Amino acid sequence: MTFEEKKERVQGFRPIDDVFFEVLADDKEVCQEILRTILEDKALIVEEVIVQRSIKNIYGRSVRLDALCILGDGAKCNIEVQRAHSDDHLRRARYNAASIVTKNTEPGERFENVPRVIIVYISERDFLGYGRTIYHIDKVIRENGEPIDDGLQEVFVNTCINDGTEIADLMRCFMQQEVHDPRFPKLSSRVYFLKEEEGGVAAMCEIMERYMDEAKAEGIREGKAKGIKEGKAEGIKEGKAEGIKEGKAAGIKEGKAEGIKEGKAAGIKEGKAEGIKEGKAAGIKEEKRQAICRMIKKEFDRQTILELGYTELEYEEAKESILASV
C-alpha cells in the first residue's frame, strides 16, 4: 500500500474516535493540554501516559482505559472517549476508577495512601441531559450539603453542547477531522502529524490493523465456543429423538427393550456428529458477523471490511443486527 493510500485510510478519523484517540493520546503534551483545559488548571503537569494498548497488559481485557495519565502530584487521571449511546456511562466511570485504585494500591497499605483518581469522561452526547458542556460530580453529605473529598474526582464532558467556553471549543475540535486551533497547538500538531506525516500515518495504520486482527480473533473465538455449545445441545436432543424412533422400529423385530437401547446409542452418536457439523457452520457464520459488528463499531468503513474478505451479504446482516440491538 502506498503512502497516499495509507493517508486516505486515516483521513476520516476524529479525536473522538477510539482508534484515533489511542494514538493521539500517546503524547503526554497533548494529554496535558487537554487536561489543563478541561480541569481549568494551567499549572497541571502530566508526567507519564499509558495508552490502551499498554493498559490491556496491565489491567486486563475487561478494563477499558483509553489514556491513564500520571500527574505531577502523583494523581492518576484517566481520559476516556466514548461514542456509544447505550452504555451506563456513570457506572462505567465508577468501575474504571475502582480498577485504577485497586491496581495501584498494595494489600495492607494505609488508606490515606490510596492514590487520588480523576476520571475525565468525554462523550459524544449530553447523556446527563441538563444542557451543559461539562459536569462535575461531587460527593456531599445529604443532611447538610457539605462536600466530601474521598480522593475521587469525576468530570463528564460532551461534544454536543456549546456553552461558549474554551472547553466547548476544545470539544468541537474532538469532532473535526482536521484541527487548526492556535489555542490548542499540541492537539492541532498531533492531529496533523497522524494524518499527514509518514511516521504518524504508519502508526495509525498499525493500530487499525491491530484492532482488525483483535476483532477477527475475538469473533472466531466467541463463534467457535457458541457454535460448539449450541451444536452439542441440539445434536444430543435430535439424536435422542431419532434414536428412540429407530429403536422402536428395530424393537418390533428384535425386541423392544434391546431396540430402544441400541437405537438411543446410535441416535446419540449420529446426532452428535450432525449437531457438531451444523454447530460449526453456525459458529463460523456467527463469528464472522461478530467480527464485522466489532469493526463497524470501531468506525471501519464498508470498503475496508469488504477488502478483508467478507461478503456484501455478511456485511449487511451484521449491520442489520447492530440496528436491531439499538
Side-chain angles (χ1 to χ4, degrees):
M1 185 181 296
T2 68
F3 175 58
E4 291 303 320
E5 288 173 331
K6 289 180 179 180
K7 277 181 61 177
E8 184 66 26
R9 291 184 69 187
V10 305
Q11 290 309 304
F13 284 112
R14 305 162 300 168
I16 193 69
D17 296 317
D18 285 343
V19 179
F20 193 71
F21 186 77
E22 179 174 332
V23 190
L24 181 73
D26 198 10
D27 184 310
K28 68 180 183 180
E29 291 187 345
V30 172
C31 290
Q32 182 170 277
E33 185 174 79
I34 291 171
L35 291 177
R36 283 182 172 182
T37 302
I38 293 175
L39 300 179
E40 299 180 283
D41 181 0
K42 299 302 182 184
L44 180 146
I45 298 296
V46 172
E47 297 285 357
E48 182 184 357
V49 180
I50 308 172
V51 293
Q52 173 67 6
R53 59 182 177 272
S54 300
I55 289 170
K56 277 186 179 179
N57 297 327
I58 298 173
Y59 286 81
R61 297 178 62 85
S62 63
V63 181
R64 181 72 168 83
L65 306 179
D66 286 328
L68 181 61
C69 303
I70 315 301
L71 305 188
D73 62 359
K76 315 293 182 182
C77 180
N78 177 41
I79 307 175
E80 179 165 347
V81 296
Q82 184 57 254
R83 294 188 59 202
H85 307 317
S86 58
D87 202 357
D88 189 327
H89 301 285
L90 293 173
R91 283 182 170 79
R92 174 186 282 270
R94 180 163 66 89
Y95 177 80
N96 286 347
S99 299
I100 294 169
V101 170
T102 302
K103 188 65 181 179
N104 289 277
T105 306
E106 294 295 329
E109 189 167 354
R110 294 180 62 85
F111 287 110
E112 64 187 29
N113 296 324
V114 170
R116 187 165 67 92
V117 174
I118 305 169
I119 299 295
V120 174
Y121 197 101
I122 301 172
S123 61
E124 188 169 2
R125 290 189 178 181
D126 176 21
F127 67 88
L128 289 171
Y130 295 105
R132 297 179 179 273
T133 301
I134 187 168
Y135 300 92
H136 298 81
I137 309 296
D138 299 321
K139 282 188 177 180
V140 298
I141 299 174
R142 183 185 300 179
E143 286 72 18
N144 60 15
E146 286 295 318
I148 293 294
D149 182 8
D150 62 357
L152 173 61
Q153 182 180 352
E154 294 178 291
V155 181
F156 294 86
V157 199
N158 65 80
T159 63
C160 68
I161 302 297
N162 187 352
D163 60 3
T165 62
E166 186 178 36
I167 296 173
D169 291 337
L170 174 63
M171 290 299 97
R172 188 164 59 250
C173 292
F174 268 70
M175 300 300 291
Q176 296 171 345
Q177 294 181 10
E178 296 183 6
V179 179
H180 305 289
D181 193 320
R183 291 169 299 175
F184 312 115
K186 301 299 182 182
L187 177 62
S188 300
S189 176
R190 182 70 172 168
V191 171
Y192 179 84
F193 170 74
L194 295 176
K195 290 196 171 191
E196 301 295 336
E197 297 187 19
E198 189 166 356
V201 171
M204 273 302 306
C205 288
E206 180 182 344
I207 293 298
M208 288 170 64
E209 293 294 335
R210 180 172 61 81
Y211 267 76
M212 286 191 290
D213 289 343
E214 287 179 0
K216 195 178 288 187
E218 186 68 18
I220 292 171
R221 184 163 49 249
E222 292 182 4
K224 279 185 177 179
K226 186 174 181 180
I228 291 171
K229 182 179 179 180
E230 293 182 0
K232 281 185 176 179
E234 189 65 25
I236 291 170
K237 181 181 177 181
E238 293 181 5
K240 282 184 177 179
E242 188 65 26
I244 292 171
K245 181 180 177 181
E246 293 182 7
K248 281 184 177 180
I252 292 172
K253 182 178 179 180
E254 298 179 6
K256 286 185 178 180
E258 188 64 24
I260 290 173
K261 181 180 178 181
E262 293 181 2
K264 281 185 177 180
I268 290 171
K269 183 178 179 181
E270 293 177 10
K272 279 186 178 179
E274 186 64 24
I276 291 171
K277 180 180 178 181
E278 293 178 3
K280 283 185 177 179
I284 292 171
K285 182 177 180 181
E286 176 63 14
E287 71 191 29
K288 286 186 177 182
R289 186 186 70 80
Q290 291 285 351
I292 296 172
C293 286
R294 283 182 173 80
M295 287 186 276
I296 292 174
K297 289 177 181 177
K298 292 295 182 181
E299 302 300 310
F300 291 96
D301 60 35
R302 172 178 165 279
Q303 187 58 39
T304 300
I305 294 173
L306 293 180
E307 288 175 358
L308 290 171
Y310 296 101
T311 66
E312 290 276 356
L313 178 59
E314 290 168 345
Y315 175 82
E316 293 300 327
E317 286 179 346
K319 196 170 180 182
E320 287 177 6
S321 71
I322 292 174
L323 293 174
S325 66
V326 174

